[in-house]
Amino acid sequence: NAGVTQTPKFQVLKTGQSMTLQCAQDMNHEYMSWYRQDPGMGLRLIHYSVGAGITDQGEVPNGYNVSRSTTEDFPLRLLSAAPSQTSVYFCASSYGTVNEQYFGPGTRLTVT
Amino acid sequence: RKEVEQDPGPFNVPEGATVAFNCTYSNSASQSFFWYRQDCRKEPKLLMSVYSSGNEDGRFTAQLNRASQYISLLIRDSKLSDSATYLCVVLGGGADGLTFGKGTHLIIQP
């Protein structure tokens, strides 16, 4: 049982490039979410999904897209990277919306 | 706007001491409460859930005060390994997940 996995661990992008951050969980959790963590800002919700085929916006969705074609996978796409998207990105999952969330190890992204 | 407020610290505490920190939340409809621990450059990990009746797990005790809208975490006989950032987490009742406080930084000194 690997829990929540994220790839890559580190990434450097140039402004304007696009990329996909991968997230997968093997716990059969319905709820998955993406957060970014910046110094002094805490964790902020980007997008979330309550089940396969369903996604919704969180607090800071601009510049990001998500999809949930399977229960296991919840990729986050940066459409056109900007320096303001330099951050640490965490994916998380839980059985439902009222349950504790389990986090992946994070992706450290730098946009130059 | 949901708000969860924590004292950022740092709290510098000698090894073996007892330390407590609080967290206040603004949404009176909040349903679930948690304390997470985050080590430097690592992901947050669940420390404990916070129940209405309070709960204890070894050296850690969590309390919920719904009337005053705060939760607390007490650490007894603190260890060097307790040094971390402690995140207060509140579930507001909607589907958009948890609201995280910015964390309290705890440093246990030998």
Side-chain angles (χ1 to χ4, degrees), chain A residues 10 31 35 37 40-43 45 48 50 57 59 90 97-106 108, chain B residues 1 31-32 34 36 38 40-46 49 87 91 94-102:
Chain A
F10 302 94
Y31 187 92
Y35 295 88
Q37 188 173 37
M41 298 295 293
L43 282 152
L45 183 65
Y48 64 96
V50 298
Q57 296 181 349
E59 181 186 353
F90 289 105
T97 58
V98 297
N99 304 105
E100 64 270 20
Q101 293 188 0
Y102 297 86
F103 284 80
R108 283 168 175 74
Chain B
R1 170 98 171 86
Q31 297 180 348
S32 302
F34 307 95
Y36 277 70
Q38 187 173 24
C40 187
R41 300 180 70 78
K42 298 286 190 181
E43 72 272 25
K45 292 186 178 177
L46 179 68
S49 302
L87 305 174
L91 178 66
D96 61 348
L98 305 173
T99 300
F100 286 79
K102 295 180 182 177

Side-chain angles (χ1 to χ4, degrees), chain B residues 3-73:
Chain B
E3 295 285 346
V4 177
E5 301 288 341
Q6 294 183 253
D7 183 341
F11 284 49
N12 289 284
V13 174
E15 190 176 9
T18 295
V19 59
F21 15 90
N22 287 346
C23 160
T24 60
Y25 61 94
S26 61
N27 185 353
S28 59
S30 298
Q31 297 180 348
S32 302
F33 308 87
F34 307 95
W35 283 104
Y36 277 70
R37 171 195 169 125
Q38 187 173 24
D39 294 293
C40 187
R41 300 180 70 78
K42 298 286 190 181
E43 72 272 25
K45 292 186 178 177
L46 179 68
L47 179 66
M48 57 198 305
S49 302
V50 186
Y51 304 124
S52 296
S53 56
N55 49 304
E56 187 174 311
D57 183 2
R59 297 181 294 108
F60 298 83
T61 300
Q63 298 277 358
L64 167 64
N65 185 317
R66 283 195 184 272
S68 301
Q69 295 184 203
Y70 74 85
I71 67 174
S72 63
L73 179 68

